[in-house]
Amino acid sequence: MTTTSLQPKSLREADIAGGNERSKRPLNAWLLVRVAIILCGAVMMVAPFLIMVSTSLEPNTATLPNPPHFLPQNLTPANYEEAWTENNFAGFFGNSAYVSVLTTVASVVISSMTAFAFARFDFPLKNLMFSMLLAGLMIPGIVVIVPQFVLAKSLNMLDSLEGLVFFYTAGQIAFTTFLLRAFFERVPRELDEAMTVDGAGILRKFLVLYIPLARPALATAAVFSFLGAWDEYVWALTVISDATKRTLPLGIAAFQGEHSTAWGLVFAASTLAVIPVIAVYIAGQKHLIAGITTGAVK
């Protein structure tokens, strides 16, 4: 019989309770630190958005309020009405929607087929080709902008929305393929073999088995592709010279004057530009977290 067993029950319970209390103290302190860090990060990320929306709802001024307002002082929608009708903003909005939707569809379709091939087939130099594909992610985009411009000129794709779609799609294939390949590799081989026994070919397996199971990863890839094309500024500024073919980032930049800037107008246009981004995120939110974690954790 051990010493512990001779100890009265009430004392043992008191020791256990005391030990639990001591073990909870550092845990609770660390939890508070983590919550404080998360709150600080959330405030730092949300504050600029609140200032932008608040300024856009105030009367237009050439100077920003100091200190900035998180809530509008004199509420008015005039900046939104003017932003939508001035400087062909609606046309820029349509150009960005056209480019972003086509880029999303093209990058998801091409990358899903590429990822399926890397995940399910063995062919010579497979690993080397995939490594070269991933190496493209390591190169900063600004480094290759001159060779891309030369290529776009030789392909007669300068000053063209379809040219933007082509190069945006090419730039997103590497990441999207990497994301989808990880998901396709997790599909059980037994399901693939069962469809083979049923006489299914490669195309039927891809469309009936892999694509439906990969909906979280496809939704994640679609959200990233859309945001990448919607926000892109440098390449569009480099190749687009026709004012009617400007995308939304270029159009918002045109709202800034040479000597003074109507900040309420700029922030109203920026807020309108954010609305599709929020809509796409809400639409893909159900699958977004699952798609990211599935691709990251094996």
Side-chain angles (χ1 to χ4, degrees), residues 4 14 51 53 83 90 94-95 106 117 152 168-169 180 209 212 217 229 255 287 297-298:
T4 305
I51 293 172
V53 175
N95 290 340
Y168 288 169
T169 302
L180 295 177
L209 175 62
F255 276 72
H287 301 295
V297 180
K298 287 189 174 181

Side-chain angles (χ1 to χ4, degrees), residues 1 17 69 102 117 131 141 151 159 169 183 194 196 207 214-215 260-261:
M1 183 176 294
H69 301 156
L102 286 184
S131 299
L151 179 61
D159 209 15
T169 302
F183 200 95
T196 302
L207 296 177
R215 279 182 298 181
S260 64
T261 300

